[in-house]
Amino acid sequence: QDVEWVLPTDAAGWHVNSAPAGGPGNTVISGSQFEGSAVFAPLALGDAAVGQEVIITDSAGVTFTYQITQVLEPLPLSGSGADATARALVEQAGATRLTLISGWPAFTTTHRQFVVAELVGE
């Protein structure tokens, strides 16, 4: 069953059908790169790089550190590439990972940007 995600404009949003932060599986968080607070503007500007750390704090105040392992090339929204990649990344089981999703480029949304990170500590 497909789920339509609501993208917040002033915060990053956790996908409720993904793993909780630090939990087994894939935690998926989306954010806008140009609307509202543009919390994921750094992704669209190319500032995310393999080896960088991403720190996530859950609702209980527990902090999890992830390390970026992949920054995928932006995929056009038209066609099935971005949707297929999003579905594949969200549905990945196994490793405790984090997937960040945003639009691209920084001033509009013609593509989807994906960043993947692995849990390295709590």
Side-chain angles (χ1 to χ4, degrees):
Q1 174 182 353
D2 287 338
V3 175
E4 184 172 330
W5 297 313
V6 177
L7 184 64
T9 57
D10 292 322
W14 169 64
H15 294 228
V16 297
N17 59 337
S18 71
N26 188 22
T27 302
V28 181
I29 298 176
S30 291
S32 178
Q33 83 286 13
F34 76 95
E35 292 181 328
S37 298
V39 295
F40 277 3
L43 299 184
L45 294 170
D47 292 341
V50 171
Q52 288 179 322
E53 291 186 344
V54 177
I55 299 171
I56 303 291
T57 303
D58 70 9
S59 60
V62 179
T63 300
F64 301 93
T65 302
Y66 294 83
Q67 187 172 47
I68 296 176
T69 58
Q70 290 180 288
V71 178
L72 282 71
E73 290 295 319
L75 294 170
L77 290 178
S78 60
S80 61
D83 288 341
T85 299
R87 190 170 291 111
L89 288 171
V90 169
E91 293 173 355
Q92 284 181 351
T96 302
R97 72 175 40 112
L98 170 69
T99 301
L100 305 176
I101 305 173
S102 188
W104 184 91
F107 56 87
T108 188
T109 301
T110 61
H111 291 63
R112 196 173 286 152
Q113 175 74 57
F114 300 92
V115 173
V116 179
E118 299 289 334
L119 182 69
V120 294
E122 181 177 329

